Each structure stands twice: as structure tokens, then as C-alpha cells.
Amino acid sequence: EDGLTNSSNTTWMTVSADEEVNMPLQPVFAHTTQHTTDNENETGDGTLYTILFNTQKFDIGSNTDANGVFTAPITGVYLFGFHLEVVNGSDDKDYDYIYLDTGGFDPGSQHHFNYGVDGHFDHERIQMSFLVQMTAGWTAIPRISRYSGTKDTDIRGGSSHFWGALIA
């Protein structure tokens, strides 16, 4: 393998004989929710809630905090995604707004959820991905707001994930 090093003699990229590229310092992370009770009854009345992704799967570069909030180490283009499993809740909601707060361009999506036959919201799975140009020091924070009801919506623990990587 041939490797490229920086001024502190740290290898930042290697290329194998098979032309496989490895960038061991490239920022990339994955977090998941630990327990449903960590994200329980936090929105439903329009409250903007920061989703706690408090179980780290990996974090190359150590750029996330204990709740999964990512801080861009360098200016660049990042790819983010999350999978949410939203559970419980009553049928008195008009809509939900789910977005990624990045300090700049904040991509998001409005969702209308399906309700069970008993008049209660059962669950919905949402997958979103975002391509975002970020400045060093900006943060990426997944948020949700549910409107026109009471705080009775949960984000299922262990079934919801947030990930990201610097791509350019």
C-alpha cells in the first residue's frame, strides 16, 4: 500500500495494490436512539424537539457529542441521513415537520401520518437524506415538530438512526 501523510506524519489516505482507497481520517459517524423513554412525549403541540441519538455506533474523527449532534470539522459537502420510527400519539395532529438544523441550509420535509383503526396513531417510518454544504464549526441536529395536539409522540429507541459523512 502507498500512503499519503500530513505534516505531522499521520497517514490520511492509502491506496492498495487493488486500487482500494482508505481515508482513515475522513469524518463519518452513525448514532442510534437508545431507549424510547429518551425521546418520549416531547412534541405534539408544535414544540420543536431535538431528537436524542444517544448511542454511538462509530465516529471517525470524534465530531459528535453524546446526543449525536455533529459538528463539521472542516468546510465541505456532507451527506446526512436518518431513519425515524415515530410511535404512539393521538389522532388530533395536523402535520409533522422533520428537518436537519445545520446553521445554514436546513433541509426538511413535512409529513402527514396514518392513524390506526382505533383512532390512535400507531407508527410511521421515515427515511430522509440530505446533501448539505457546511462551514467548519456548523452543527447538524435532527429535529421534529408535531402540530395541533398534545405532547404524546415518541421516537422509538433502537429503531431510529442518524448518520453522516464528509463527501467533498
Side-chain angles (χ1 to χ4, degrees), residues 44 86-96 111-124 146-149 152-153:
V86 182
V87 295
N88 299 328
S90 58
D91 62 355
D92 58 355
K93 309 299 186 280
D94 288 337
Y95 65 94
D96 302 275
H111 289 267
H112 294 272
F113 290 98
N114 299 321
Y115 296 97
V117 294
D118 59 358
H120 283 81
F121 172 74
D122 292 324
H123 72 277
E124 187 80 12
R146 277 190 105 198
Y147 289 87
S148 300
D152 61 358
T153 301

Side-chain angles (χ1 to χ4, degrees), residues 67-106:
N67 289 319
V69 173
F70 173 80
T71 301
I74 64 170
T75 298
V77 176
Y78 292 81
L79 179 62
F80 296 102
F82 53 81
H83 170 89
L84 297 178
E85 189 161 350
V86 182
V87 295
N88 299 328
S90 58
D91 62 355
D92 58 355
K93 309 299 186 280
D94 288 337
Y95 65 94
D96 302 275
Y97 186 64
I98 301 165
Y99 78 106
L100 186 65
D101 182 351
T102 64
F105 168 67
D106 297 330

Side-chain angles (χ1 to χ4, degrees), residues 7-112:
S7 60
S8 63
N9 208 27
T10 301
T11 301
W12 63 272
M13 184 170 75
T14 59
V15 180
S16 73
D18 294 328
E19 299 181 6
E20 299 164 330
V21 177
N22 182 12
M23 294 182 291
L25 303 178
Q26 189 81 353
V28 60
F29 72 92
H31 278 246
T32 189
T33 52
Q34 185 171 7
H35 303 288
T36 301
T37 55
D38 296 334
N39 291 289
E40 185 175 56
N41 297 330
E42 299 294 348
T43 189
D45 61 355
T47 301
L48 180 62
Y49 178 66
T50 298
I51 303 164
L52 303 178
F53 290 95
N54 50 9
T55 301
Q56 183 184 91
K57 296 299 185 181
F58 58 88
D59 182 6
I60 297 172
S62 300
N63 300 299
T64 59
D65 70 10
N67 289 319
V69 173
F70 173 80
T71 301
I74 64 170
T75 298
V77 176
Y78 292 81
L79 179 62
F80 296 102
F82 53 81
H83 170 89
L84 297 178
E85 189 161 350
V86 182
V87 295
N88 299 328
S90 58
D91 62 355
D92 58 355
K93 309 299 186 280
D94 288 337
Y95 65 94
D96 302 275
Y97 186 64
I98 301 165
Y99 78 106
L100 186 65
D101 182 351
T102 64
F105 168 67
D106 297 330
S109 181
Q110 180 175 314
H111 289 267
H112 294 272

Side-chain angles (χ1 to χ4, degrees), residues 145-166:
S145 288
R146 277 190 105 198
Y147 289 87
S148 300
T150 57
K151 287 186 175 183
D152 61 358
T153 301
D154 306 336
I155 306 297
R156 180 166 285 166
S159 299
S160 299
H161 313 279
F162 176 46
W163 55 267
L166 173 66

